[in-house]
Amino acid sequence: MGRRSILVAAGWVATVAVATLIGLGAIRLVGESLTGTPGGVRSEAEIERALASPEPAPTPTRTTGTASPGPGTTNAAPSPSSAVRRVFATDGGTAVAECGAGGVRLVSWAPAQGYRVRDVDRGPDDDVEVKFRGATREYELKVRCIGSEPVSVADD
């Protein structure tokens, strides 16, 4: 192998090393927006606290037509502060339920990745349920009020 071939190989390796360092420096400069979750990764306990906290009151807006809410959203008015809320999680998805004067109602629900919402009975009623369907499995979450607290129950 000639001297010229060694110089070409060394130059190529040096170019690759410099390009890699520049790329890593650019990613570090841009920060979490490319490489991480904005706001950091949240623990399961933090997510449950956020889901269980009261929803902010919606601000009235003027629309010129009708729009239907997307999946997992509700149109219900904010609940009184005396209602007890609880988060329920399955492998198929998560739901938040609360017990109030009219019985139990689903406040919100969201399917897990790879699942979709098949059916929702959001109440208020004696019991409410949401079904999450995946490619190979289905999860049904049924909730009732026992006392003044929402509790997951087996399907009848």
Side-chain angles (χ1 to χ4, degrees), residues 37-133:
T37 305
V41 177
R42 299 194 189 330
S43 71
E44 187 174 330
E46 289 174 316
I47 292 169
E48 286 184 13
R49 278 193 303 272
L51 287 172
S53 66
E55 296 174 356
T59 56
T61 58
R62 229 184 150 108
T63 59
T64 58
T66 59
S68 60
T73 60
T74 61
N75 288 0
S79 61
S81 61
S82 63
V84 176
R85 285 189 179 179
R86 187 165 172 210
V87 178
F88 299 92
T90 69
D91 288 341
T94 305
V96 177
E98 71 179 7
C99 291
V104 65
R105 82 173 181 100
L106 287 177
V107 176
S108 64
W109 53 92
Q113 186 172 358
Y115 286 82
R116 61 184 172 84
V117 176
R118 190 185 113 203
D119 190 24
V120 176
D121 174 15
R122 66 180 176 198
D125 204 347
D126 292 336
D127 56 53
V128 294
E129 63 185 312
V130 59
K131 294 177 184 172
F132 302 107
R133 177 179 281 173

